[in-house]
Each structure stands twice: as structure tokens, then as C-alpha cells.
Amino acid sequence: MIKLSNGHEFRYMVASGALAFDGLGWWWERPLVRFGLVKPELFTVVLKTLTRQPRKGNLRWWKPWDCVALIKDGAVNKVAFPDKRSPLHRLEKRVGGGGGGVSGKPAQRFNWEAVDKLAEQGVLPVIGPSIMQYEDIGKMRRLGAKAYSFGAIHLPSYPIWLKPWTIFTNPCKPTQFVERKGTTTYEN
């Protein structure tokens, strides 16, 4: 559990945009929320970017593929870099998607190594990112994470045309994982 300076405590969070920008789900997720299959109240929602002056990002509802690309078991996004090359553009050839922030399984090895090193220092509580399977929560706990973050798990499985139903099933996974915590322990 992590406690913020304003008193808010959380164990589970969703990365920015995972449940839309208001944290209540994208339009295709709203029925899942209404039927209780996705429960936004279980998660703290995190902003990607906060600027002093309003700034237009790359995301356009009519063509989201311009800034979010699905890759195998994850995504690459460059939502906050309008008309500019992302500082992560060198990843373009390696992972595809136009350069940007990589999330999901392709990022796990790097993210989890960072969690291990940061938790080892013991200075600040660490949030374990890139949770894609239920067992990942236990791995993060053993590495020293005090909270857990869900991001790319919400996205449809790649490629979408092979598993179109995952646009509805994947957003349910974090809720299922949190609710499963009470029946099966991953914290050993």
C-alpha cells in the first residue's frame, strides 16, 4: 500500500488513458463498467502529462492509430508529442509503432529491473508496472513493489483482427485480478 502526502492510499492503479482520460472507461468500456465487469473505483488513475498551459496532444478520437500502435503483447504510444519526434523515436525500428513509450510485456524486463533496484534502495515506495498476468503481481511484490500498475493489459490483443473480442475482455482483467486477490494469494 502506498500513502500519498494528501492522505490518499492505494495498492492498484491504472496508467493514464487505460480507462480513458476521466478514469471511467472509454466508450466501448462503459457497458462493462455499467455491468460491474470493470470497476474503476478499485484503481487510482494516473495522469500521463500535466502542463501549466493547455497543450494539445496527438490523440484524435477519429484516428487513434496515429499515436497508439498495438504491438505483440503491448503498445507504443506518443500521445503527448504533437508535431514532434518522440524522445523515444529510436525504438521505432525495434518495436514498431512510430517511436514512443513502450508498455506491456516488451517493457517488463526493463521496468522490473528498475523496480528491483529502486526497491532495494528502500528510500521511496515503488509501484510495479507492466502487470499483464495475475502472477505478475506476485513477481512485483517479491521485487519490493508496494503498489501495482495496469496499463497495456486494457488494450485488445495484438493483432486485433485475430481476437476482436479482446477489446471487451481485456479491460476486465485488472478488476478480475484485484477481486481474485481475496480468494487466491499471490503474495507468497
Side-chain angles (χ1 to χ4, degrees), residues 32-69:
L32 302 171
V33 172
R34 182 170 291 128
F35 290 114
L37 299 171
V38 172
K39 297 181 179 174
E41 66 273 10
L42 296 175
F43 308 95
T44 293
V45 178
V46 177
L47 298 174
K48 179 178 282 301
T49 304
L50 183 63
T51 61
R52 183 181 288 278
Q53 299 300 320
R55 188 170 131 188
K56 193 174 187 178
N58 286 325
L59 184 62
R60 304 291 177 269
W61 68 267
W62 63 90
K63 56 179 188 171
W65 54 85
D66 273 2
C67 67
V68 177

PDB file of all heavy atoms in Angstrom, residues 32-69:
ATOM      1  N   LEU A  32     -19.215  -2.261 -19.872  1.00  0.00           N
ATOM      2  CA  LEU A  32     -18.527  -3.148 -18.926  1.00  0.00           C
ATOM      3  C   LEU A  32     -18.522  -2.543 -17.527  1.00  0.00           C
ATOM      4  O   LEU A  32     -18.654  -3.258 -16.531  1.00  0.00           O
ATOM      5  CB  LEU A  32     -17.099  -3.411 -19.391  1.00  0.00           C
ATOM      6  CG  LEU A  32     -16.937  -4.041 -20.776  1.00  0.00           C
ATOM      7  CD1 LEU A  32     -15.471  -4.039 -21.193  1.00  0.00           C
ATOM      8  CD2 LEU A  32     -17.514  -5.431 -20.811  1.00  0.00           C
ATOM      9  N   VAL A  33     -18.389  -1.232 -17.453  1.00  0.00           N
ATOM     10  CA  VAL A  33     -18.449  -0.524 -16.167  1.00  0.00           C
ATOM     11  C   VAL A  33     -19.867  -0.613 -15.607  1.00  0.00           C
ATOM     12  O   VAL A  33     -20.063  -0.930 -14.443  1.00  0.00           O
ATOM     13  CB  VAL A  33     -18.001   0.948 -16.324  1.00  0.00           C
ATOM     14  CG1 VAL A  33     -18.254   1.731 -15.042  1.00  0.00           C
ATOM     15  CG2 VAL A  33     -16.528   1.026 -16.730  1.00  0.00           C
ATOM     16  N   ARG A  34     -20.839  -0.354 -16.451  1.00  0.00           N
ATOM     17  CA  ARG A  34     -22.238  -0.368 -16.009  1.00  0.00           C
ATOM     18  C   ARG A  34     -22.647  -1.733 -15.441  1.00  0.00           C
ATOM     19  O   ARG A  34     -23.376  -1.808 -14.465  1.00  0.00           O
ATOM     20  CB  ARG A  34     -23.167  -0.005 -17.178  1.00  0.00           C
ATOM     21  CG  ARG A  34     -24.627   0.051 -16.756  1.00  0.00           C
ATOM     22  CD  ARG A  34     -25.541   0.632 -17.814  1.00  0.00           C
ATOM     23  NE  ARG A  34     -25.251   2.053 -17.946  1.00  0.00           N
ATOM     24  CZ  ARG A  34     -24.995   2.655 -19.112  1.00  0.00           C
ATOM     25  NH1 ARG A  34     -25.012   1.979 -20.227  1.00  0.00           N
ATOM     26  NH2 ARG A  34     -24.744   3.936 -19.149  1.00  0.00           N
ATOM     27  N   PHE A  35     -22.125  -2.814 -16.040  1.00  0.00           N
ATOM     28  CA  PHE A  35     -22.467  -4.157 -15.572  1.00  0.00           C
ATOM     29  C   PHE A  35     -21.521  -4.673 -14.488  1.00  0.00           C
ATOM     30  O   PHE A  35     -21.616  -5.819 -14.067  1.00  0.00           O
ATOM     31  CB  PHE A  35     -22.512  -5.143 -16.739  1.00  0.00           C
ATOM     32  CG  PHE A  35     -23.677  -4.912 -17.660  1.00  0.00           C
ATOM     33  CD1 PHE A  35     -23.470  -4.492 -18.958  1.00  0.00           C
ATOM     34  CD2 PHE A  35     -24.985  -5.082 -17.216  1.00  0.00           C
ATOM     35  CE1 PHE A  35     -24.541  -4.267 -19.811  1.00  0.00           C
ATOM     36  CE2 PHE A  35     -26.059  -4.859 -18.061  1.00  0.00           C
ATOM     37  CZ  PHE A  35     -25.838  -4.441 -19.365  1.00  0.00           C
ATOM     38  N   GLY A  36     -20.598  -3.833 -14.034  1.00  0.00           N
ATOM     39  CA  GLY A  36     -19.715  -4.213 -12.940  1.00  0.00           C
ATOM     40  C   GLY A  36     -18.563  -5.124 -13.327  1.00  0.00           C
ATOM     41  O   GLY A  36     -17.886  -5.660 -12.453  1.00  0.00           O
ATOM     42  N   LEU A  37     -18.311  -5.289 -14.622  1.00  0.00           N
ATOM     43  CA  LEU A  37     -17.197  -6.123 -15.071  1.00  0.00           C
ATOM     44  C   LEU A  37     -15.876  -5.366 -15.014  1.00  0.00           C
ATOM     45  O   LEU A  37     -14.813  -5.967 -14.900  1.00  0.00           O
ATOM     46  CB  LEU A  37     -17.462  -6.635 -16.492  1.00  0.00           C
ATOM     47  CG  LEU A  37     -18.727  -7.506 -16.616  1.00  0.00           C
ATOM     48  CD1 LEU A  37     -19.043  -7.781 -18.072  1.00  0.00           C
ATOM     49  CD2 LEU A  37     -18.547  -8.806 -15.847  1.00  0.00           C
ATOM     50  N   VAL A  38     -15.953  -4.050 -15.112  1.00  0.00           N
ATOM     51  CA  VAL A  38     -14.812  -3.158 -14.914  1.00  0.00           C
ATOM     52  C   VAL A  38     -15.220  -2.216 -13.790  1.00  0.00           C
ATOM     53  O   VAL A  38     -16.269  -1.586 -13.859  1.00  0.00           O
ATOM     54  CB  VAL A  38     -14.470  -2.361 -16.192  1.00  0.00           C
ATOM     55  CG1 VAL A  38     -13.416  -1.319 -15.923  1.00  0.00           C
ATOM     56  CG2 VAL A  38     -14.028  -3.292 -17.314  1.00  0.00           C
ATOM     57  N   LYS A  39     -14.394  -2.143 -12.754  1.00  0.00           N
ATOM     58  CA  LYS A  39     -14.723  -1.322 -11.587  1.00  0.00           C
ATOM     59  C   LYS A  39     -13.647  -0.255 -11.383  1.00  0.00           C
ATOM     60  O   LYS A  39     -12.674  -0.464 -10.648  1.00  0.00           O
ATOM     61  CB  LYS A  39     -14.847  -2.201 -10.343  1.00  0.00           C
ATOM     62  CG  LYS A  39     -15.987  -3.201 -10.454  1.00  0.00           C
ATOM     63  CD  LYS A  39     -16.110  -4.052  -9.217  1.00  0.00           C
ATOM     64  CE  LYS A  39     -17.273  -5.012  -9.350  1.00  0.00           C
ATOM     65  NZ  LYS A  39     -17.330  -5.954  -8.233  1.00  0.00           N
ATOM     66  N   PRO A  40     -13.815   0.915 -12.014  1.00  0.00           N
ATOM     67  CA  PRO A  40     -12.813   1.976 -11.899  1.00  0.00           C
ATOM     68  C   PRO A  40     -12.523   2.396 -10.460  1.00  0.00           C
ATOM     69  O   PRO A  40     -11.420   2.830 -10.149  1.00  0.00           O
ATOM     70  CB  PRO A  40     -13.430   3.141 -12.684  1.00  0.00           C
ATOM     71  CG  PRO A  40     -14.387   2.502 -13.620  1.00  0.00           C
ATOM     72  CD  PRO A  40     -14.913   1.292 -12.895  1.00  0.00           C
ATOM     73  N   GLU A  41     -13.497   2.217  -9.572  1.00  0.00           N
ATOM     74  CA  GLU A  41     -13.305   2.636  -8.178  1.00  0.00           C
ATOM     75  C   GLU A  41     -12.236   1.823  -7.455  1.00  0.00           C
ATOM     76  O   GLU A  41     -11.761   2.224  -6.392  1.00  0.00           O
ATOM     77  CB  GLU A  41     -14.632   2.586  -7.413  1.00  0.00           C
ATOM     78  CG  GLU A  41     -15.209   1.198  -7.225  1.00  0.00           C
ATOM     79  CD  GLU A  41     -16.095   0.699  -8.366  1.00  0.00           C
ATOM     80  OE1 GLU A  41     -16.142   1.337  -9.435  1.00  0.00           O
ATOM     81  OE2 GLU A  41     -16.745  -0.340  -8.180  1.00  0.00           O
ATOM     82  N   LEU A  42     -11.822   0.708  -8.006  1.00  0.00           N
ATOM     83  CA  LEU A  42     -10.779  -0.110  -7.393  1.00  0.00           C
ATOM     84  C   LEU A  42      -9.369   0.449  -7.643  1.00  0.00           C
ATOM     85  O   LEU A  42      -8.416  -0.005  -7.032  1.00  0.00           O
ATOM     86  CB  LEU A  42     -10.830  -1.546  -7.927  1.00  0.00           C
ATOM     87  CG  LEU A  42     -12.081  -2.356  -7.621  1.00  0.00           C
ATOM     88  CD1 LEU A  42     -12.010  -3.709  -8.317  1.00  0.00           C
ATOM     89  CD2 LEU A  42     -12.252  -2.524  -6.127  1.00  0.00           C
ATOM     90  N   PHE A  43      -9.276   1.420  -8.551  1.00  0.00           N
ATOM     91  CA  PHE A  43      -7.966   1.878  -9.016  1.00  0.00           C
ATOM     92  C   PHE A  43      -7.792   3.381  -8.867  1.00  0.00           C
ATOM     93  O   PHE A  43      -8.731   4.143  -9.007  1.00  0.00           O
ATOM     94  CB  PHE A  43      -7.791   1.520 -10.497  1.00  0.00           C
ATOM     95  CG  PHE A  43      -8.055   0.073 -10.784  1.00  0.00           C
ATOM     96  CD1 PHE A  43      -9.295  -0.358 -11.217  1.00  0.00           C
ATOM     97  CD2 PHE A  43      -7.064  -0.872 -10.590  1.00  0.00           C
ATOM     98  CE1 PHE A  43      -9.554  -1.699 -11.461  1.00  0.00           C
ATOM     99  CE2 PHE A  43      -7.301  -2.215 -10.824  1.00  0.00           C
ATOM    100  CZ  PHE A  43      -8.551  -2.624 -11.261  1.00  0.00           C
ATOM    101  N   THR A  44      -6.570   3.774  -8.595  1.00  0.00           N
ATOM    102  CA  THR A  44      -6.190   5.178  -8.671  1.00  0.00           C
ATOM    103  C   THR A  44      -5.762   5.426 -10.101  1.00  0.00           C
ATOM    104  O   THR A  44      -5.036   4.639 -10.690  1.00  0.00           O
ATOM    105  CB  THR A  44      -5.028   5.465  -7.701  1.00  0.00           C
ATOM    106  OG1 THR A  44      -5.518   5.314  -6.367  1.00  0.00           O
ATOM    107  CG2 THR A  44      -4.466   6.855  -7.885  1.00  0.00           C
ATOM    108  N   VAL A  45      -6.234   6.520 -10.691  1.00  0.00           N
ATOM    109  CA  VAL A  45      -5.911   6.847 -12.077  1.00  0.00           C
ATOM    110  C   VAL A  45      -4.750   7.843 -12.089  1.00  0.00           C
ATOM    111  O   VAL A  45      -4.722   8.788 -11.299  1.00  0.00           O
ATOM    112  CB  VAL A  45      -7.137   7.454 -12.795  1.00  0.00           C
ATOM    113  CG1 VAL A  45      -6.798   7.843 -14.227  1.00  0.00           C
ATOM    114  CG2 VAL A  45      -8.290   6.461 -12.770  1.00  0.00           C
ATOM    115  N   VAL A  46      -3.801   7.620 -12.970  1.00  0.00           N
ATOM    116  CA  VAL A  46      -2.602   8.447 -13.039  1.00  0.00           C
ATOM    117  C   VAL A  46      -2.582   9.251 -14.338  1.00  0.00           C
ATOM    118  O   VAL A  46      -2.926   8.724 -15.399  1.00  0.00           O
ATOM    119  CB  VAL A  46      -1.336   7.554 -12.967  1.00  0.00           C
ATOM    120  CG1 VAL A  46      -0.084   8.370 -13.106  1.00  0.00           C
ATOM    121  CG2 VAL A  46      -1.332   6.779 -11.666  1.00  0.00           C
ATOM    122  N   LEU A  47      -2.168  10.497 -14.237  1.00  0.00           N
ATOM    123  CA  LEU A  47      -2.015  11.341 -15.419  1.00  0.00           C
ATOM    124  C   LEU A  47      -0.723  11.002 -16.143  1.00  0.00           C
ATOM    125  O   LEU A  47       0.269  10.655 -15.520  1.00  0.00           O
ATOM    126  CB  LEU A  47      -1.941  12.814 -15.017  1.00  0.00           C
ATOM    127  CG  LEU A  47      -3.141  13.412 -14.327  1.00  0.00           C
ATOM    128  CD1 LEU A  47      -2.816  14.825 -13.868  1.00  0.00           C
ATOM    129  CD2 LEU A  47      -4.336  13.410 -15.237  1.00  0.00           C
ATOM    130  N   LYS A  48      -0.731  11.152 -17.454  1.00  0.00           N
ATOM    131  CA  LYS A  48       0.499  10.982 -18.217  1.00  0.00           C
ATOM    132  C   LYS A  48       1.300  12.284 -18.172  1.00  0.00           C
ATOM    133  O   LYS A  48       2.466  12.307 -17.867  1.00  0.00           O
ATOM    134  CB  LYS A  48       0.205  10.613 -19.662  1.00  0.00           C
ATOM    135  CG  LYS A  48       1.467  10.447 -20.490  1.00  0.00           C
ATOM    136  CD  LYS A  48       1.181  10.045 -21.896  1.00  0.00           C
ATOM    137  CE  LYS A  48       0.861   8.607 -22.061  1.00  0.00           C
ATOM    138  NZ  LYS A  48       1.829   7.640 -21.658  1.00  0.00           N
ATOM    139  N   THR A  49       0.650  13.388 -18.495  1.00  0.00           N
ATOM    140  CA  THR A  49       1.338  14.663 -18.571  1.00  0.00           C
ATOM    141  C   THR A  49       0.448  15.746 -17.987  1.00  0.00           C
ATOM    142  O   THR A  49      -0.736  15.785 -18.260  1.00  0.00           O
ATOM    143  CB  THR A  49       1.654  15.026 -20.040  1.00  0.00           C
ATOM    144  OG1 THR A  49       2.406  13.971 -20.622  1.00  0.00           O
ATOM    145  CG2 THR A  49       2.448  16.316 -20.135  1.00  0.00           C
ATOM    146  N   LEU A  50       1.037  16.609 -17.218  1.00  0.00           N
ATOM    147  CA  LEU A  50       0.334  17.753 -16.676  1.00  0.00           C
ATOM    148  C   LEU A  50       1.176  18.978 -16.970  1.00  0.00           C
ATOM    149  O   LEU A  50       2.355  19.028 -16.600  1.00  0.00           O
ATOM    150  CB  LEU A  50       0.131  17.588 -15.165  1.00  0.00           C
ATOM    151  CG  LEU A  50      -0.649  18.671 -14.449  1.00  0.00           C
ATOM    152  CD1 LEU A  50      -2.079  18.745 -14.973  1.00  0.00           C
ATOM    153  CD2 LEU A  50      -0.656  18.419 -12.958  1.00  0.00           C
ATOM    154  N   THR A  51       0.602  19.938 -17.690  1.00  0.00           N
ATOM    155  CA  THR A  51       1.349  21.150 -18.041  1.00  0.00           C
ATOM    156  C   THR A  51       0.641  22.384 -17.491  1.00  0.00           C
ATOM    157  O   THR A  51      -0.570  22.360 -17.270  1.00  0.00           O
ATOM    158  CB  THR A  51       1.498  21.289 -19.570  1.00  0.00           C
ATOM    159  OG1 THR A  51       0.196  21.372 -20.157  1.00  0.00           O
ATOM    160  CG2 THR A  51       2.262  20.121 -20.166  1.00  0.00           C
ATOM    161  N   ARG A  52       1.423  23.431 -17.290  1.00  0.00           N
ATOM    162  CA  ARG A  52       0.855  24.678 -16.760  1.00  0.00           C
ATOM    163  C   ARG A  52      -0.164  25.263 -17.735  1.00  0.00           C
ATOM    164  O   ARG A  52      -1.238  25.678 -17.352  1.00  0.00           O
ATOM    165  CB  ARG A  52       1.965  25.684 -16.496  1.00  0.00           C
ATOM    166  CG  ARG A  52       1.472  26.977 -15.880  1.00  0.00           C
ATOM    167  CD  ARG A  52       2.602  27.961 -15.646  1.00  0.00           C
ATOM    168  NE  ARG A  52       3.485  27.612 -14.572  1.00  0.00           N
ATOM    169  CZ  ARG A  52       3.267  27.853 -13.280  1.00  0.00           C
ATOM    170  NH1 ARG A  52       2.164  28.448 -12.917  1.00  0.00           N
ATOM    171  NH2 ARG A  52       4.135  27.516 -12.373  1.00  0.00           N
ATOM    172  N   GLN A  53       0.181  25.306 -19.002  1.00  0.00           N
ATOM    173  CA  GLN A  53      -0.712  25.811 -20.041  1.00  0.00           C
ATOM    174  C   GLN A  53      -1.324  24.635 -20.804  1.00  0.00           C
ATOM    175  O   GLN A  53      -0.659  23.622 -20.994  1.00  0.00           O
ATOM    176  CB  GLN A  53       0.071  26.694 -21.022  1.00  0.00           C
ATOM    177  CG  GLN A  53       0.713  27.918 -20.391  1.00  0.00           C
ATOM    178  CD  GLN A  53      -0.305  28.840 -19.748  1.00  0.00           C
ATOM    179  OE1 GLN A  53      -1.384  29.063 -20.283  1.00  0.00           O
ATOM    180  NE2 GLN A  53       0.026  29.369 -18.578  1.00  0.00           N
ATOM    181  N   PRO A  54      -2.572  24.768 -21.244  1.00  0.00           N
ATOM    182  CA  PRO A  54      -3.174  23.685 -22.031  1.00  0.00           C
ATOM    183  C   PRO A  54      -2.306  23.366 -23.250  1.00  0.00           C
ATOM    184  O   PRO A  54      -1.742  24.266 -23.883  1.00  0.00           O
ATOM    185  CB  PRO A  54      -4.523  24.267 -22.478  1.00  0.00           C
ATOM    186  CG  PRO A  54      -4.810  25.354 -21.509  1.00  0.00           C
ATOM    187  CD  PRO A  54      -3.476  25.905 -21.075  1.00  0.00           C
ATOM    188  N   ARG A  55      -2.201  22.095 -23.545  1.00  0.00           N
ATOM    189  CA  ARG A  55      -1.370  21.662 -24.661  1.00  0.00           C
ATOM    190  C   ARG A  55      -2.083  20.532 -25.387  1.00  0.00           C
ATOM    191  O   ARG A  55      -2.558  19.592 -24.758  1.00  0.00           O
ATOM    192  CB  ARG A  55      -0.034  21.177 -24.115  1.00  0.00           C
ATOM    193  CG  ARG A  55       0.978  20.889 -25.163  1.00  0.00           C
ATOM    194  CD  ARG A  55       2.306  20.663 -24.500  1.00  0.00           C
ATOM    195  NE  ARG A  55       2.855  19.442 -25.049  1.00  0.00           N
ATOM    196  CZ  ARG A  55       3.934  18.855 -24.609  1.00  0.00           C
ATOM    197  NH1 ARG A  55       4.568  19.343 -23.586  1.00  0.00           N
ATOM    198  NH2 ARG A  55       4.368  17.766 -25.165  1.00  0.00           N
ATOM    199  N   LYS A  56      -2.160  20.646 -26.674  1.00  0.00           N
ATOM    200  CA  LYS A  56      -2.837  19.642 -27.473  1.00  0.00           C
ATOM    201  C   LYS A  56      -1.886  18.481 -27.742  1.00  0.00           C
ATOM    202  O   LYS A  56      -0.762  18.681 -28.191  1.00  0.00           O
ATOM    203  CB  LYS A  56      -3.283  20.269 -28.792  1.00  0.00           C
ATOM    204  CG  LYS A  56      -4.241  19.462 -29.576  1.00  0.00           C
ATOM    205  CD  LYS A  56      -4.711  20.266 -30.781  1.00  0.00           C
ATOM    206  CE  LYS A  56      -5.817  19.531 -31.483  1.00  0.00           C
ATOM    207  NZ  LYS A  56      -6.318  20.317 -32.615  1.00  0.00           N
ATOM    208  N   GLY A  57      -2.317  17.280 -27.442  1.00  0.00           N
ATOM    209  CA  GLY A  57      -1.503  16.098 -27.701  1.00  0.00           C
ATOM    210  C   GLY A  57      -1.809  15.505 -29.068  1.00  0.00           C
ATOM    211  O   GLY A  57      -2.459  16.126 -29.902  1.00  0.00           O
ATOM    212  N   ASN A  58      -1.360  14.291 -29.295  1.00  0.00           N
ATOM    213  CA  ASN A  58      -1.535  13.630 -30.589  1.00  0.00           C
ATOM    214  C   ASN A  58      -2.833  12.848 -30.733  1.00  0.00           C
ATOM    215  O   ASN A  58      -3.214  12.504 -31.837  1.00  0.00           O
ATOM    216  CB  ASN A  58      -0.384  12.644 -30.829  1.00  0.00           C
ATOM    217  CG  ASN A  58       0.890  13.343 -31.173  1.00  0.00           C
ATOM    218  OD1 ASN A  58       0.891  14.366 -31.832  1.00  0.00           O
ATOM    219  ND2 ASN A  58       2.000  12.803 -30.719  1.00  0.00           N
ATOM    220  N   LEU A  59      -3.488  12.505 -29.632  1.00  0.00           N
ATOM    221  CA  LEU A  59      -4.643  11.623 -29.713  1.00  0.00           C
ATOM    222  C   LEU A  59      -5.837  12.332 -30.347  1.00  0.00           C
ATOM    223  O   LEU A  59      -6.257  13.385 -29.899  1.00  0.00           O
ATOM    224  CB  LEU A  59      -5.028  11.118 -28.321  1.00  0.00           C
ATOM    225  CG  LEU A  59      -6.160  10.104 -28.276  1.00  0.00           C
ATOM    226  CD1 LEU A  59      -5.784   8.843 -29.041  1.00  0.00           C
ATOM    227  CD2 LEU A  59      -6.516   9.762 -26.850  1.00  0.00           C
ATOM    228  N   ARG A  60      -6.363  11.709 -31.396  1.00  0.00           N
ATOM    229  CA  ARG A  60      -7.589  12.170 -32.054  1.00  0.00           C
ATOM    230  C   ARG A  60      -8.552  10.990 -32.054  1.00  0.00           C
ATOM    231  O   ARG A  60      -8.202   9.904 -32.510  1.00  0.00           O
ATOM    232  CB  ARG A  60      -7.324  12.602 -33.496  1.00  0.00           C
ATOM    233  CG  ARG A  60      -6.273  13.674 -33.651  1.00  0.00           C
ATOM    234  CD  ARG A  60      -6.753  15.026 -33.095  1.00  0.00           C
ATOM    235  NE  ARG A  60      -5.704  16.025 -33.181  1.00  0.00           N
ATOM    236  CZ  ARG A  60      -4.828  16.283 -32.234  1.00  0.00           C
ATOM    237  NH1 ARG A  60      -4.855  15.614 -31.111  1.00  0.00           N
ATOM    238  NH2 ARG A  60      -3.921  17.220 -32.367  1.00  0.00           N
ATOM    239  N   TRP A  61      -9.754  11.199 -31.552  1.00  0.00           N
ATOM    240  CA  TRP A  61     -10.699  10.098 -31.430  1.00  0.00           C
ATOM    241  C   TRP A  61     -10.995   9.453 -32.779  1.00  0.00           C
ATOM    242  O   TRP A  61     -11.280   8.268 -32.848  1.00  0.00           O
ATOM    243  CB  TRP A  61     -11.976  10.544 -30.724  1.00  0.00           C
ATOM    244  CG  TRP A  61     -12.807  11.519 -31.506  1.00  0.00           C
ATOM    245  CD1 TRP A  61     -12.758  12.875 -31.429  1.00  0.00           C
ATOM    246  CD2 TRP A  61     -13.807  11.214 -32.470  1.00  0.00           C
ATOM    247  NE1 TRP A  61     -13.651  13.438 -32.290  1.00  0.00           N
ATOM    248  CE2 TRP A  61     -14.315  12.433 -32.956  1.00  0.00           C
ATOM    249  CE3 TRP A  61     -14.314  10.026 -32.984  1.00  0.00           C
ATOM    250  CZ2 TRP A  61     -15.303  12.498 -33.919  1.00  0.00           C
ATOM    251  CZ3 TRP A  61     -15.306  10.097 -33.960  1.00  0.00           C
ATOM    252  CH2 TRP A  61     -15.793  11.321 -34.408  1.00  0.00           C
ATOM    253  N   TRP A  62     -10.908  10.209 -33.864  1.00  0.00           N
ATOM    254  CA  TRP A  62     -11.233   9.659 -35.181  1.00  0.00           C
ATOM    255  C   TRP A  62     -10.076   8.885 -35.823  1.00  0.00           C
ATOM    256  O   TRP A  62     -10.264   8.185 -36.794  1.00  0.00           O
ATOM    257  CB  TRP A  62     -11.726  10.748 -36.131  1.00  0.00           C
ATOM    258  CG  TRP A  62     -10.698  11.807 -36.418  1.00  0.00           C
ATOM    259  CD1 TRP A  62      -9.781  11.798 -37.439  1.00  0.00           C
ATOM    260  CD2 TRP A  62     -10.479  13.002 -35.702  1.00  0.00           C
ATOM    261  NE1 TRP A  62      -9.001  12.912 -37.381  1.00  0.00           N
ATOM    262  CE2 TRP A  62      -9.417  13.691 -36.315  1.00  0.00           C
ATOM    263  CE3 TRP A  62     -11.074  13.595 -34.588  1.00  0.00           C
ATOM    264  CZ2 TRP A  62      -8.936  14.904 -35.870  1.00  0.00           C
ATOM    265  CZ3 TRP A  62     -10.592  14.813 -34.160  1.00  0.00           C
ATOM    266  CH2 TRP A  62      -9.537  15.444 -34.784  1.00  0.00           C
ATOM    267  N   LYS A  63      -8.880   9.005 -35.257  1.00  0.00           N
ATOM    268  CA  LYS A  63      -7.744   8.219 -35.763  1.00  0.00           C
ATOM    269  C   LYS A  63      -6.700   7.997 -34.669  1.00  0.00           C
ATOM    270  O   LYS A  63      -5.593   8.509 -34.720  1.00  0.00           O
ATOM    271  CB  LYS A  63      -7.131   8.844 -37.004  1.00  0.00           C
ATOM    272  CG  LYS A  63      -6.671  10.277 -36.849  1.00  0.00           C
ATOM    273  CD  LYS A  63      -6.049  10.768 -38.146  1.00  0.00           C
ATOM    274  CE  LYS A  63      -5.428  12.121 -37.907  1.00  0.00           C
ATOM    275  NZ  LYS A  63      -4.653  12.564 -39.026  1.00  0.00           N
ATOM    276  N   PRO A  64      -7.056   7.190 -33.665  1.00  0.00           N
ATOM    277  CA  PRO A  64      -6.133   6.957 -32.551  1.00  0.00           C
ATOM    278  C   PRO A  64      -4.854   6.229 -32.964  1.00  0.00           C
ATOM    279  O   PRO A  64      -3.851   6.309 -32.273  1.00  0.00           O
ATOM    280  CB  PRO A  64      -6.955   6.109 -31.578  1.00  0.00           C
ATOM    281  CG  PRO A  64      -7.998   5.469 -32.420  1.00  0.00           C
ATOM    282  CD  PRO A  64      -8.295   6.440 -33.528  1.00  0.00           C
ATOM    283  N   TRP A  65      -4.886   5.522 -34.098  1.00  0.00           N
ATOM    284  CA  TRP A  65      -3.714   4.782 -34.570  1.00  0.00           C
ATOM    285  C   TRP A  65      -2.552   5.693 -34.921  1.00  0.00           C
ATOM    286  O   TRP A  65      -1.439   5.226 -35.071  1.00  0.00           O
ATOM    287  CB  TRP A  65      -4.088   3.910 -35.767  1.00  0.00           C
ATOM    288  CG  TRP A  65      -4.744   4.687 -36.859  1.00  0.00           C
ATOM    289  CD1 TRP A  65      -4.127   5.394 -37.866  1.00  0.00           C
ATOM    290  CD2 TRP A  65      -6.150   4.893 -37.033  1.00  0.00           C
ATOM    291  NE1 TRP A  65      -5.070   6.013 -38.645  1.00  0.00           N
ATOM    292  CE2 TRP A  65      -6.319   5.719 -38.163  1.00  0.00           C
ATOM    293  CE3 TRP A  65      -7.269   4.450 -36.356  1.00  0.00           C
ATOM    294  CZ2 TRP A  65      -7.577   6.122 -38.619  1.00  0.00           C
ATOM    295  CZ3 TRP A  65      -8.513   4.849 -36.820  1.00  0.00           C
ATOM    296  CH2 TRP A  65      -8.660   5.666 -37.935  1.00  0.00           C
ATOM    297  N   ASP A  66      -2.790   7.011 -35.015  1.00  0.00           N
ATOM    298  CA  ASP A  66      -1.694   7.948 -35.273  1.00  0.00           C
ATOM    299  C   ASP A  66      -0.742   8.071 -34.092  1.00  0.00           C
ATOM    300  O   ASP A  66       0.384   8.511 -34.243  1.00  0.00           O
ATOM    301  CB  ASP A  66      -2.233   9.347 -35.601  1.00  0.00           C
ATOM    302  CG  ASP A  66      -2.548   9.513 -37.072  1.00  0.00           C
ATOM    303  OD1 ASP A  66      -2.391   8.550 -37.840  1.00  0.00           O
ATOM    304  OD2 ASP A  66      -2.954  10.624 -37.448  1.00  0.00           O
ATOM    305  N   CYS A  67      -1.211   7.736 -32.899  1.00  0.00           N
ATOM    306  CA  CYS A  67      -0.340   7.903 -31.737  1.00  0.00           C
ATOM    307  C   CYS A  67      -0.296   6.696 -30.811  1.00  0.00           C
ATOM    308  O   CYS A  67       0.488   6.674 -29.884  1.00  0.00           O
ATOM    309  CB  CYS A  67      -0.727   9.150 -30.957  1.00  0.00           C
ATOM    310  SG  CYS A  67      -2.316   9.039 -30.174  1.00  0.00           S
ATOM    311  N   VAL A  68      -1.121   5.694 -31.063  1.00  0.00           N
ATOM    312  CA  VAL A  68      -1.070   4.459 -30.286  1.00  0.00           C
ATOM    313  C   VAL A  68      -1.030   3.303 -31.272  1.00  0.00           C
ATOM    314  O   VAL A  68      -1.904   3.182 -32.116  1.00  0.00           O
ATOM    315  CB  VAL A  68      -2.289   4.298 -29.353  1.00  0.00           C
ATOM    316  CG1 VAL A  68      -2.234   2.975 -28.611  1.00  0.00           C
ATOM    317  CG2 VAL A  68      -2.377   5.454 -28.367  1.00  0.00           C
ATOM    318  N   ALA A  69       0.002   2.492 -31.151  1.00  0.00           N
ATOM    319  CA  ALA A  69       0.127   1.331 -32.024  1.00  0.00           C
ATOM    320  C   ALA A  69       0.201   0.082 -31.169  1.00  0.00           C
ATOM    321  O   ALA A  69       0.963   0.031 -30.200  1.00  0.00           O
ATOM    322  CB  ALA A  69       1.383   1.443 -32.879  1.00  0.00           C
TER     323      ALA A  69
END
